[in-house]
Amino acid sequence: SYSFCTLLILINMTLLRILKIMLVAELTASLQTTWTYTDIGKGMTGPDDWGEPCTKGSQSPIDLQFAGATNEPEGIEYNCNPIEEYEIENVQTTIKVTPTGKSQGACKLRVGGKEGSFSLHSYHFHTPSEHTIEGKRYDMEMHFVNMNDAGEIAVLGIFFDASDSATSDDSWLATFWDNLQPVPLQKDELKTSFASQTSFKATSKKVTSTIPPFGVDANTECFKYSGSLTTPPCTTGLYWNVIVRPRKVSKSQVQKFRNMMSFSETEGNARPIQPTKVPLKHFRPQESSRPLTTEYSKGSWGMHYLILIPLLYWVYKYFLNRGAKPMSPASGEQV
């Protein structure tokens, strides 16, 4: 009957809401537990001791390689409205930004081949980068964590490169970077390092300044694969989308994040690279001028060819001319 069908719909919607609440709680717990990125000072709490769930299935992060990746015909789209209300929180393991109030769900991620869109839940940072491209690790990586109505999670990963050529601040980060809050340490702790902390209480700050839209268009080169949370409980089944091209960031911005987290020179919040157990997909727009082997690859020959081909042609012409006998100006015969 009509009433029975209505009841089934209500039960289904309620179960989906419960599932979503549970996943949000799981995401929050993954950032606020006693696990660490190192065993120093806290016992066996490093990545090798995160528990059995973190060894199951396809785990993240992984090394993203062009060779062997299958061609992905569809890109991704990430459309954002300005974030005007948000909470910026230091949760000991990272800095997390969560849109609040009218800014909740300010961004929509559409993944090719997946019906519907994912709404932004929060985003956070890692240093150095967790994923690598052809073994190359960048200075920072940002993760936009998005969820859909079914409780599925899709993550958008963005690299930040603080190479010597990056002399200016990233303008998008600069809009909220000054609001980062330091990790609170116990008064009797002399060493201000992440690993040495014996107790912790998260600090948060509600902000009403505007964060400009962060967009990714459908022609942006990216990798896609099925992976996991990079922190305990390492939940699998996430839709990972990692942008190939890094954003330029100043070294001072990276250092400010490290200072806020009280990282020493040898510390960071990047999980070690995990084995690749699932097919890796690579979306490359048709108009992209980047060769399939890129500057990320140790075997990159793109620029070498630009020099080598004209050089070989010149050598060929040189020896061809040396082997030819001069022509008689009058008769045109060789002499």
Side-chain angles (χ1 to χ4, degrees), residues 237-268:
L238 275 64
Y239 296 94
W240 271 98
N241 308 269
V242 183
I243 304 303
V244 171
R245 295 288 186 183
R247 291 175 67 95
K248 298 296 183 181
V249 64
S250 68
K251 291 183 178 180
S252 62
Q253 284 180 308
V254 175
Q255 189 57 48
K256 180 169 184 177
F257 175 65
R258 296 185 62 82
N259 292 342
M260 292 297 97
M261 299 306 300
S262 297
F263 289 152
S264 70
E265 292 183 2
T266 59
E267 292 174 329

Side-chain angles (χ1 to χ4, degrees), residues 55-73:
T55 65
K56 300 294 185 181
S58 175
Q59 291 290 310
S60 301
I62 62 173
D63 182 37
L64 305 168
Q65 299 185 5
F66 295 99
T70 59
N71 179 58
E72 168 61 32

